[in-house]
Amino acid sequence: MRGHVPRKRFGQNFLVSAGVVAKIVEAIRPQANDTVVEIGPGLGALTEPLLARLDHLHVVEIDRDLIARLHQRFAPERLTIHEGDALQFDFSGLGSGLRVVGNLPYNISTPLLFHLAACAERVRDMHFMLQREVVERMVAPPGGSEYGRLSVMLQYRFELERLFLVPPGAFNPAPKVESAVVRMIPRPQETLAAIDEALLAEVVKSAFAQRRKMLRNTLRERLTEADWTALDIDPTRRAEELAVGDYVSIANRLVRLTSSSSRS
Ligand code: SAM
């Protein structure tokens, strides 16, 4: 750790397994002129091997002590250090075709994934290390208890693939839980387009707020029996039984109902 005391509040579990680092870099397959941004470079476990393959790398780091170390270790023309909170960082400002990578701080992983989903059109792909349980929720198909708001909202935007598991011993300090590496590739939006994405997010949130209840009840204020019939969705089903496309159909029907009622 070379004198750095890991900070729990910044989710600092540093990768110390050379084998796992090599596997992650291999999965990313960086090419020299790719535009890559690493979230939370820390002590540089991924930064260094990424820079060995890239002409240039962007990093976003919040911890001032680690930022000072990174400045000492890497030349500014090779590594651009964005100092601050990745949750506030404007990733779309780095251009298009962006590749985002990171061994993410687990305490902010869900809001960070939602923040990144908002600039998906600028992204080529993302590779992240996360808690295994979070990755399982991200990739979960409909029908099980792991399928929820995170699954629907991320699967709406991305093709997701769990690549491999990583044991606690690959980190220092070792976390209490297993980790996994996930690949996220933005979907072409024409395949599954919500007219109003904020409304899609609201519908999904309402449906999963009481996931054991029938949709007829959880979405009572938005949809009538006639709407369910028109949508060809059984309103006695529960939130976890609907596919991502069903949520998009519901949100799009609500947009059409609102625009036709405002015209009449
Ligand atoms: N990449 C390093 C590795 O694999 O060893 C460090 C990973 S550690 C799990 C998470 C890193 O994210 C730390 O360097 C931490 O300081 C940084 N971090 C935590 N919260 C952050 C935030 N909100 N914005 C940017 N970086 C953050």
Side-chain angles (χ1 to χ4, degrees), residues 4 7-16 21 24 38-47 59-64 66 70 82-89 91 101-108 112 129 170-172:
H4 177 78
R7 296 194 163 97
K8 218 172 169 179
R9 72 175 186 283
F10 291 148
Q12 291 178 353
N13 298 95
F14 299 103
L15 259 174
V16 290
V21 168
I24 296 173
E38 183 192 1
I39 300 174
L43 293 165
L46 289 170
T47 319
V59 295
V60 185
E61 175 58 64
I62 200 166
D63 184 323
R64 289 195 180 157
L66 294 177
L70 292 163
H82 303 271
E83 304 181 12
D85 187 348
L87 286 172
Q88 310 293 331
F89 186 73
F91 287 89
V101 306
N103 169 16
L104 296 187
Y106 293 168
N107 48 350
I108 59 158
L112 194 53
M129 171 98 75
F171 305 87
N172 186 5

Side-chain angles (χ1 to χ4, degrees), residues 116-141:
L116 288 160
C119 62
E121 71 281 356
R122 293 295 186 116
V123 167
R124 178 171 134 200
D125 59 23
M126 313 210 251
H127 291 82
F128 294 131
M129 171 98 75
L130 290 159
Q131 256 175 272
R132 175 185 182 168
E133 178 253 320
V134 173
V135 172
E136 276 166 5
R137 288 198 282 125
M138 290 163 71
V139 303

